[in-house]
Amino acid sequence: MDSSTIAAVATPEGTGGIGVIRVSGPDAITAVAAVFRRAPFGQKPSDSDTDASGGFKSWRMYLGHIFDPVSGTLIDEVILAVMRAPYSYTREDVVEIQAHGGSRVLEKILNLLISYGIRPAQPGEFTRRAFINGRVDLTQAEAVADLINARSDASLDMAVSQMTGQLSNVVSSIRQSLVSVLGSLEAAIDFPEAAGDEMDDAGQGLRLSIEVLQQINQLREAYESGRFLRQGVQAVIIGRPNVGKSSLMNCLLNQQRAIVTEIAGTTRDCIEAFLTTRGVSMVVADTAGLRRDPDPIERLGIEKTQEYMASADIVLHVLDVSLPLDDEDVAIYEQLMDKPVVIVINKTDLAGHEKVLHLSPAMEEAPCMAVSALHGTGIDELKQRIADMVFSSVASAGHGFIPNWRQKCLLDQAAEAVSKVIAGLENQRLPELVSIDLHEAISAIDEITGKYVETDVLDEIFSRYCVGK
Ligand code: GDP
């Protein structure tokens, strides 16, 4: 493993009250000590502040100045947090320099450290070291990125549970079961004369393998139904012109309207915006409508609408309560096929004297919400309805956490191998052959936690992190 000492700014770009530079590796403490003068300035530190060699104690904070020893120039007043190996994020010596949060000052401190032989860290390199040094497994390391990127309470909760090792525990118990099946198979290979025991072992191995397959399949299902929590839902607003789609979009966004972005390349634009509601992150798209006889300019907008409809997780089909249902409404509804849909009956403020809308029998089957986008009534209930649809799909997965795509692909591989193990045991195939499939299942499981993982897979995973993490 690369044993160089690395450093990076760990706080986001831009200005802030505090900016943190993280330094990790064998030379972290000596390099920082070389450019640091303690406060109270001019006074010697007392014994209780330093270790036996006069150096920094672990898990202490030190106030002082960073200065350039060559020119003597003072750069900033800082606080150092010192964490000696192995009790640190990376399990190496770590110093976090809490400076003032200006990009120029942080850059100066970083350059000073680099001039002392410290190397700038790659994206994710601190977490990669935490993984390589055995502080966390790969699922926990991946959860750190999820935690940083979490945009809703639900995805935050999921990242925290994964970071504290809940997914690792399930995966480890799967591994243990597979190893115990392997143990009995290997006993059968080594001691074929113990024929009676072998029959018992095969029966037990089969039961255990079936249980393992169920556990793996539960995790795979959790991925399918829970990807909403990871990625958020794509809720698409659709309906014919003037039913109130844009007004509904504005209502859903409230003051967040400022982040609405136009999607380039459409003449009658589709507009997309991000919001978080009831702990679920949502991308809402207001579409251009679906006229049946479009002119060439409108056609572009319609194609975009159709793309949105195809990728939608939930469709909000808006109808105007003051107008009779027309062919276009029905045609739109028919195009939604098997998408989860909520019929949003808008303009209910007019309903008292102008309720002329009657739903088609097919529409009557769908959940219906009455709103007034003009007055904002019914909007909270609509948001709740969308969140309920998301949570009911996640609850049915039966797990508090959801594998990511990489983990899901490995679970697929493990499921296939375990299915072969089950078939092999049922058909009383040679234990030598069944054990090949078992080994395959175990190595897929090991790749999830990173027990065995190729360097290029690690490169790919950690390159998605930010520098300083
Ligand atoms: P879009 O073409 O479907 O995006 O519809 P708009 O949001 O542009 O709304 C069309 C017209 O309907 C505008 O004049 C809105 O003010 C009006 N409108 C939208 N929602 C309501 C509502 O809930 N009640 C009433 N009375 N008018 C509404």
Side-chain angles (χ1 to χ4, degrees):
M1 191 195 112
D2 172 13
S3 63
S4 53
T5 300
I6 53 172
V9 177
T11 37
E13 257 181 60
T15 53
I18 300 174
V20 174
I21 292 175
R22 186 183 253 172
V23 192
S24 177
D27 300 328
I29 294 176
T30 42
V32 175
V35 299
F36 178 75
R37 233 186 262 140
R38 287 190 58 188
F41 305 106
Q43 277 184 28
K44 279 197 160 190
S46 70
D47 287 347
S48 64
D49 289 337
T50 53
D51 65 13
S53 62
F56 296 117
K57 277 191 170 170
S58 193
W59 289 98
R60 281 290 174 97
M61 301 189 82
Y62 296 89
L63 173 70
H65 285 156
I66 296 284
F67 73 107
D68 181 345
V70 178
S71 63
T73 324
L74 189 137
I75 297 177
D76 194 8
E77 185 177 303
V78 302
I79 291 176
L80 303 187
V82 179
M83 291 151 273
R84 287 188 184 270
Y87 305 107
S88 70
Y89 184 65
T90 57
R91 284 207 168 158
E92 301 173 329
D93 281 347
V94 169
V95 183
E96 288 178 4
I97 305 172
Q98 299 180 7
H100 289 102
S103 53
R104 190 73 199 109
V105 73
L106 295 173
E107 198 182 305
K108 271 198 147 182
I109 297 172
L110 198 56
N111 283 337
L112 192 60
L113 293 169
I114 289 167
S115 74
Y116 275 77
I118 287 175
R119 168 172 79 67
Q122 303 287 321
E125 200 171 358
F126 294 97
T127 307
R128 186 175 184 149
R129 288 187 175 199
F131 163 68
I132 300 281
N133 293 327
R135 184 177 176 274
V136 292
D137 74 12
L138 203 49
T139 65
Q140 292 170 302
E142 286 177 298
V144 173
D146 290 346
L147 183 93
I148 293 170
N149 296 323
R151 293 197 291 191
S152 67
D153 290 350
S155 50
L156 182 64
D157 291 348
M158 187 180 68
V160 169
S161 82
Q162 189 168 319
M163 201 174 66
T164 51
Q166 290 203 31
L167 181 57
S168 314
N169 292 343
V170 175
V171 170
S172 300
S173 100
I174 289 175
R175 184 181 199 277
Q176 233 170 353
S177 304
L178 290 172
V179 168
S180 103
V181 179
L182 186 64
S184 58
L185 273 183
E186 282 175 352
I189 296 168
D190 292 342
F191 307 103
E193 63 281 4
D197 294 351
E198 193 192 311
M199 291 302 290
D200 282 356
D201 284 350
Q204 211 181 340
L206 181 60
R207 272 194 299 281
L208 209 50
S209 304
I210 292 170
E211 259 174 47
V212 163
L213 186 61
Q214 279 168 351
Q215 281 176 294
I216 295 176
N217 282 341
Q218 269 183 357
L219 287 171
R220 293 165 74 208
E221 282 161 24
Y223 171 83
E224 293 304 337
S225 50
R227 77 193 158 78
F228 291 149
L229 287 191
R230 271 196 184 283
Q231 303 160 2
V233 281
Q234 170 107 350
V236 172
I237 304 175
I238 193 130
R240 63 184 162 112
N242 281 322
V243 290
K245 298 184 295 298
S246 308
S247 311
L248 178 67
M249 171 98 163
N250 287 346
C251 254
L252 286 170
L253 293 176
N254 301 330
Q255 69 280 31
Q256 297 182 49
R257 184 72 176 87
I259 57 164
V260 168
T261 50
E262 288 190 358
I263 305 300
T266 55
T267 37
R268 242 223 82 195
D269 292 318
C270 294
I271 294 178
E272 195 178 272
F274 173 83
L275 78 140
T276 301
T277 183
R278 308 286 189 272
V280 177
S281 62
M282 222 188 281
V283 173
V284 188
D286 172 17
T287 58
L290 288 167
R291 283 172 178 281
R292 259 163 299 143
D293 301 310
D295 58 36
I297 300 168
E298 280 175 324
R299 192 179 303 280
L300 281 172
I302 288 172
E303 280 169 15
K304 194 80 203 162
T305 301
Q306 275 161 341
E307 269 172 44
Y308 269 107
M309 273 168 64
S311 64
D313 299 307
I314 292 177
V315 177
L316 307 180
H317 184 185
V318 186
L319 300 172
D320 182 336
V321 78
S322 67
L323 297 173
L325 198 69
D326 86 353
D327 290 351
E328 197 176 347
D329 294 318
V330 176
I332 291 171
Y333 189 75
E334 280 169 1
Q335 285 193 42
L336 300 177
M337 310 275 277
D338 52 359
K339 292 273 175 200
V341 55
V342 179
I343 302 225
V344 182
I345 300 179
N346 190 31
K347 308 196 186 181
T348 48
D349 52 295
L350 301 175
H353 35 273
E354 290 189 51
K355 187 175 186 308
V356 288
L357 176 72
H358 295 285
L359 296 181
S360 69
M363 288 173 170
E364 298 270 11
E365 310 265 298
C368 268
M369 301 299 292
V371 305
S372 163
L374 191 67
H375 299 292
T377 45
I379 300 298
D380 277 349
E381 290 79 357
L382 176 61
K383 286 181 176 175
Q384 186 63 52
R385 179 89 211 193
I386 298 169
D388 287 348
M389 284 168 90
V390 172
F391 282 119
S392 67
S393 74
V394 176
S396 66
H399 279 286
F401 41 78
I402 290 123
N404 63 24
W405 187 76
R406 181 192 78 87
Q407 295 157 352
K408 149 80 165 56
C409 292
L410 291 164
L411 287 165
D412 289 346
Q413 283 176 28
E416 201 187 321
V418 175
S419 303
K420 284 188 197 160
V421 170
I422 292 170
L425 291 172
E426 280 173 346
N427 299 319
Q428 295 177 8
R429 287 175 69 203
L430 282 175
E432 287 85 344
L433 295 178
V434 180
S435 84
I436 295 174
D437 294 323
L438 260 174
H439 276 291
E440 207 168 292
I442 292 171
S443 63
I445 292 294
D446 282 347
E447 215 178 306
I448 294 178
T449 52
K451 210 176 173 82
Y452 297 106
V453 65
E454 302 283 339
T455 311
D456 54 350
V457 174
L458 292 182
D459 289 346
E460 161 64 21
I461 292 172
F462 289 105
S463 66
R464 281 182 256 134
Y465 285 58
C466 44
V467 174
K469 189 58 237 168

